[in-house]
Amino acid sequence: MKLMKGILMKPRLSLVLILAISTLFGCAQKIEGISKDVDKQLAENSGYLLIGIDTNRGLHSIIIGGTKSLMLTDKDLQSGTNYILVDVPAGQYQIEDIKFGRYVYMELEEGYWNFEVKPNQVSYVGDLYVKTVGFWMVSSAEILLENRSTSAQLFLEEKFPNILKSRQVRYSGPGEDKFLEYAERLLAGKEAAL
């Protein structure tokens, strides 16, 4: 009897370990883009993340690691060009991997994909350009993070003027760019002249 009990315990223990490990790796919080232009009171030490997505294929998800594990889902990652604005805890982040399907993904090297979300402002991290080759299966992919500050600014002016009115917008992706600060000063000068 003791031998049978030990044999039955091993599969149960294995199942518990598999569930525990899958729970640890599946802890990314799903986030969705904001659709209404309402400048709400953000939670303490939170800010807005703005990212552009330019893809020739609908994506399954994008995993963002760092201060908090986040996941952009297929709802916001359809084929074409789109901007996603979402409120998240302030902190240091990096784009970790891009999933093309449930089991097909590409891990990204550390360093180039890092960005920061600052409290009470809109942190634009760039436009993620994803071009895949292959019809049914992805055989290769070109992935770039490009700074398109002008397009991001125009998007915010058109879709989120209330949020833009009371928040600073800063580029916080790879490299440096002061265009958004320059555009803010120009806009403030125009309003002062009126």
Side-chain angles (χ1 to χ4, degrees):
M1 259 329 217
K2 288 183 181 181
L3 181 61
M4 284 294 263
K5 187 176 181 182
I7 292 172
L8 291 175
M9 289 301 286
K10 286 185 181 181
R12 287 184 190 162
L13 182 59
S14 297
L15 181 61
V16 169
L17 285 173
I18 290 170
L19 290 173
I21 290 171
S22 65
T23 301
L24 286 174
F25 288 108
C27 291
Q29 177 185 347
K30 292 181 181 180
I31 54 176
E32 291 182 7
I34 296 169
S35 59
K36 295 182 180 173
D37 182 26
V38 177
D39 188 19
K40 63 180 184 174
Q41 179 70 31
L42 294 175
E44 186 178 342
N45 202 30
S46 291
Y48 287 103
L49 163 66
L50 176 64
I51 185 169
I53 305 295
D54 184 357
T55 179
N56 66 337
R57 164 190 299 257
L59 304 174
H60 182 271
S61 61
I62 295 176
I63 306 297
I64 299 172
T67 300
K68 188 163 188 170
S69 292
L70 307 171
M71 180 179 8
L72 295 168
T73 64
D74 59 346
K75 181 177 179 182
D76 290 319
L77 303 173
Q78 299 305 309
S79 179
T81 302
N82 183 26
Y83 279 95
I84 302 168
L85 180 67
V86 62
D87 60 296
V88 299
Q92 300 292 325
Y93 292 94
Q94 68 279 342
I95 301 170
E96 290 183 348
D97 63 57
I98 297 172
K99 291 182 91 172
F100 303 106
R102 180 172 278 180
Y103 304 109
V104 180
Y105 66 94
M106 180 175 279
E107 287 185 28
L108 303 176
E109 290 184 29
E110 293 183 25
Y112 178 74
W113 309 97
N114 297 350
F115 60 90
E116 180 179 8
V117 175
K118 293 190 177 175
N120 294 314
Q121 73 179 33
V122 178
S123 298
Y124 168 63
V125 301
D127 282 35
L128 190 62
Y129 173 80
V130 181
K131 182 179 180 188
T132 61
V133 176
F135 186 70
W136 296 106
M137 297 267 311
V138 175
S139 60
S140 68
E142 177 184 10
I143 302 174
L144 303 169
L145 187 59
E146 300 178 323
N147 179 0
R148 298 180 185 165
S149 296
T150 305
S151 296
Q153 179 73 24
L154 292 172
F155 167 78
L156 288 171
E157 287 174 5
E158 180 184 333
K159 300 288 185 183
F160 295 98
N162 291 323
I163 292 174
L164 182 61
K165 186 174 16 177
S166 61
R167 308 274 179 194
Q168 291 181 328
V169 182
R170 296 292 182 261
Y171 176 71
S172 65
E176 288 189 31
D177 183 7
K178 303 293 183 188
F179 170 77
L180 294 169
E181 294 169 25
Y182 174 73
E184 186 177 273
R185 285 193 306 272
L186 284 177
L187 188 60
K190 261 188 195 177
E191 289 175 358
L194 295 176

